[in-house]
Amino acid sequence: MDVLTNARMQKVDADTINRFYPGLELMERAGRKVAEFILTHFPKEGFKASIFVGPGNNGGDALVVARYLAEEERACSIHLLSDPEKFTMDGFKNYKRLKGRMSKHRTLVEINATRPDWAALIRKDFIDATLIVDGLFGTGLSRDLEERAAETVGLINDSGLPAVSLDTPSGLHGDTGRVLGCAVRADTTITMGYPKLGMLFYPGKEYVGDLIVADLGFPDEVLEVHSLGVYLLDQREAARRLPARAPDAHKYRNGTVVLVSGSREYTGATLLAAEAALRSGCGMVYAAVPESIRSMVEPALRELITFPVPETSDGTIGSGALETLKPYVEKADVLIIGPGLGRNDETAQVVRDLVTSASRRVVLDADGIGAFNGKSELLESVSSPLVLTPHSGELQRLLSVEIPREPLERIEMTREVAKTLGATLVHKGSPTLIANADGLAWVNHNGNSALATAGSGDVLTGLVGGIMAQGANTLDGACVACHVHGRAGELASEFLGVRGVIAGDVMDMVGEALRDLEDPSLSYRK
């Protein structure tokens, strides 16, 4: 599913209105979709919606919502933030249409929020309300909310009532996710047509609640013209990229990973990456580790096959490892290089030699990426399909550049690096971005701060390699792994809270996250 900026969404709207449907029809579709959600999710008994209507098309959508709810005999109070004469043309038409039904539907009440006693009226209205519908401001908002608008948002947030926002929570910048003075903290946001960029990045994501995308029927030919080349990575997208698993599969058919990792200082990274690859469904995992740590690694994970390689005086993998690795590389579908390797010049040269001569697909992480710091041009010559999984600090050291913070700039940099290196790039963060060599990008939409813990990245790396070994290409493997990793973090935090989760807890939830992806009906937590 495409993700759009404000400007591109406005062009999609305009082209659709000019060539296919009038704006009034799009407004009708938007309001109907929201009303259908409310009618489905909120019981009729005792129902009352406080609906806040701004002067723009967002307010017009809210008026359509009110009409549909009234037709189902649901009580609604309509709070008008401005004089109806100042509404957009389509919004005013829907106001007149609703006004004509007020005598017929006694459950409809209009409240003029421009009155001097407006705040008291809102508080009184909230006493028996069960839901707030936020139609104050849409994605076109670009300046801070002030005075009455800001106070209204404050009253909504202080009410304790569930809030459904139309298109975006009022007060969020649609491109950056920046809070414009203040913003509605929605429980659910129903966005129209396509997700907007600012909803997927913090702080905006924190205000969105559950994100639902309402299909308004925008024509594909219009989207093709205005697509940003940025897509949402959600459960549906990840599920379609998950490689099939044959019912008569055997371990060799399910893929083999060879993991080049570990050092005397970092023994746990090998175990985390290896177990994640196995938990992903991969059939076999071999781990090349320094001689001195093999006796610690091997007993800790019974399913892992380890083999020792020569090491440096620092206890990192040494130059003699290349010869030892050759027969194992021949067995591999995927090489994972980097977790826990440590920083050593000799080890870094081993990594560079191994990656640049690789005849197998490679997942490069952590100190494996660090081996190319200041030498990123070597990665451009790698002939095998390549995935890199850096966080921003690792990417900055690799390229010696500042990593931008603004969402669109961050995406542009991620996909430009992927194009330059001819690789799939997993730029870890909140959210994680995935870009391929064609310059297309995906924004991962799940996960939480439970994943901000030591070893979490090693789990992700193992998942990428393990899923690729089962037949996924580099992009599919990266997308599925990022989704599963994020979902596993969410599941772990349901038990332990975001503070109490460690990487092993994320690992414990990988199986359930994969099962959710294959068949959501089997989840223990629906």
Side-chain angles (χ1 to χ4, degrees):
M1 180 183 295
D2 279 73
V3 176
L4 298 181
T5 60
N6 288 344
R8 287 179 184 261
M9 187 67 236
Q10 288 166 6
K11 289 176 180 177
V12 169
D13 268 332
D15 279 7
T16 300
I17 291 168
N18 289 336
R19 298 170 55 196
F20 295 94
Y21 325 117
L24 200 61
E25 172 63 20
L26 286 177
M27 191 172 284
E28 186 74 12
R29 294 182 184 189
R32 184 170 63 244
K33 289 284 188 180
V34 175
E36 287 171 353
F37 171 84
I38 292 170
L39 291 168
T40 302
H41 290 82
F42 293 87
K44 184 174 183 179
E45 186 176 352
F47 178 93
K48 177 187 161 185
S50 294
I51 300 179
F52 288 83
V53 179
N57 285 333
N58 198 249
D61 294 346
L63 291 167
V64 176
V65 174
R67 173 160 44 83
Y68 276 101
L69 294 180
E71 288 172 357
E72 295 295 326
E73 299 183 348
R74 301 291 183 100
C76 302
S77 51
I78 317 300
H79 297 263
L80 305 179
L81 197 67
S82 67
D83 190 312
E85 298 290 337
K86 297 179 181 179
F87 288 178
T88 63
M89 182 173 64
D90 289 339
F92 185 70
K93 287 177 181 177
N94 271 305
Y95 171 73
K96 297 294 286 184
R97 192 173 176 185
L98 184 66
K99 188 77 170 174
R101 284 166 166 73
M102 284 190 175
S103 59
K104 177 182 176 183
H105 298 293
R106 297 178 182 273
T107 55
L108 272 174
V109 177
E110 179 182 326
I111 298 175
N112 186 347
T114 64
R115 287 171 44 163
D117 59 345
W118 63 278
L121 290 173
I122 290 174
R123 291 190 185 95
K124 182 179 179 181
D125 186 55
F126 283 167
I127 292 172
D128 60 346
T130 57
L131 171 69
I132 291 171
V133 176
D134 162 32
L136 290 172
F137 301 99
T139 57
L141 189 68
S142 59
R143 58 188 176 85
D144 285 4
L145 296 183
E146 297 176 338
E147 300 174 344
R148 188 160 299 198
E151 291 180 59
T152 301
V153 168
L155 290 168
I156 291 171
N157 287 341
D158 292 342
S159 70
L161 295 168
V164 174
S165 286
L166 277 60
D167 210 19
T168 187
S170 294
L172 280 191
H173 193 286
D175 286 348
T176 66
R178 185 167 64 87
V179 175
L180 297 169
C182 60
V184 171
R185 287 187 175 272
D187 294 274
T188 303
T189 297
I190 302 177
T191 195
M192 307 309 165
Y194 309 98
K196 315 310 183 294
L197 199 59
M199 300 172 180
L200 308 180
F201 287 77
Y202 289 99
K205 187 176 179 180
E206 189 177 359
Y207 288 76
V208 168
D210 293 330
L211 178 62
I212 296 173
V213 181
D215 182 2
L216 303 191
F218 289 107
D220 290 343
E221 60 196 90
V222 172
L223 177 62
E224 287 171 8
V225 174
H226 301 295
S227 175
L228 188 63
V230 178
Y231 306 96
L232 182 70
L233 176 57
D234 57 7
Q235 183 169 11
R236 180 181 299 179
E237 180 72 5
R240 79 175 187 85
R241 293 178 179 275
L242 184 68
R245 189 178 182 92
D248 60 345
H250 51 74
K251 61 186 177 184
Y252 298 109
R253 189 171 173 184
N254 286 335
T256 298
V257 165
V258 170
L259 177 61
V260 182
S261 65
S263 60
R264 197 181 301 151
E265 188 174 0
Y266 303 112
T267 57
T270 296
L271 294 167
L272 289 166
E275 185 174 351
L278 288 164
R279 293 280 182 192
S280 77
C282 174
M284 298 279 285
V285 177
Y286 295 88
V289 297
E291 292 171 326
S292 63
I293 70 168
R294 186 190 184 193
S295 61
M296 291 181 277
V297 172
E298 190 165 63
L301 185 59
R302 294 170 298 179
E303 299 84 356
L304 175 65
I305 303 167
T306 62
F307 61 97
V309 294
E311 63 184 73
T312 67
S313 58
D314 293 337
T316 62
I317 289 176
S319 57
L322 289 170
E323 193 64 31
T324 308
L325 277 165
K326 282 182 180 179
Y328 292 94
V329 171
E330 291 301 313
K331 299 179 183 180
D333 294 292
V334 174
L335 299 177
I336 296 177
I337 304 170
L341 280 178
R343 298 179 184 178
N344 177 281
D345 290 344
E346 184 178 330
T347 306
Q349 187 60 54
V350 172
V351 171
R352 290 192 291 270
D353 290 344
L354 185 58
V355 172
T356 54
S357 65
S359 58
R360 298 293 186 266
R361 295 178 295 164
V362 175
V363 180
L364 195 61
D365 181 43
D367 294 323
I369 296 171
F372 291 88
N373 288 351
K375 301 178 175 67
S376 61
E377 70 280 357
L378 295 176
L379 292 170
E380 298 175 36
S381 64
V382 175
S383 58
S384 295
L386 177 65
V387 180
L388 286 82
T389 61
H391 55 61
S392 290
E394 290 166 339
L395 190 59
Q396 182 167 317
R397 290 191 291 272
L398 175 68
L399 303 173
S400 301
V401 295
E402 287 293 322
I403 307 300
R405 292 183 176 273
E406 290 296 323
L408 188 56
E409 294 174 10
R410 193 176 180 87
I411 289 170
E412 292 297 342
M413 179 190 185
T414 299
R415 56 186 181 182
E416 192 57 41
V417 172
K419 285 170 64 177
T420 299
L421 299 182
T424 295
L425 183 66
V426 177
H427 185 178
K428 295 181 291 195
S430 295
T432 290
L433 306 175
I434 303 102
N436 68 0
D438 293 330
L440 302 177
W442 283 258
V443 183
N444 189 41
H445 189 50
N446 67 3
N448 56 28
S449 63
L451 296 170
T453 185
S456 175
D458 301 315
V459 175
L460 176 60
T461 299
L463 289 172
V464 175
I467 292 163
M468 284 171 55
Q470 296 169 66
N473 61 34
T474 56
L475 177 62
D476 288 352
C479 286
V480 173
C482 287
H483 176 86
V484 169
H485 184 248
R487 181 62 181 144
E490 291 173 346
L491 290 168
S493 66
E494 287 181 17
F495 290 103
L496 300 168
V498 292
R499 296 176 190 271
V501 173
I502 60 175
D505 302 319
V506 177
M507 183 83 70
D508 289 343
M509 292 294 120
V510 163
E512 187 169 341
L514 277 163
R515 185 179 57 184
D516 283 1
L517 195 58
E518 292 185 284
D519 187 350
S521 68
L522 296 177
S523 176
Y524 289 131
R525 283 165 287 278
K526 297 177 185 176

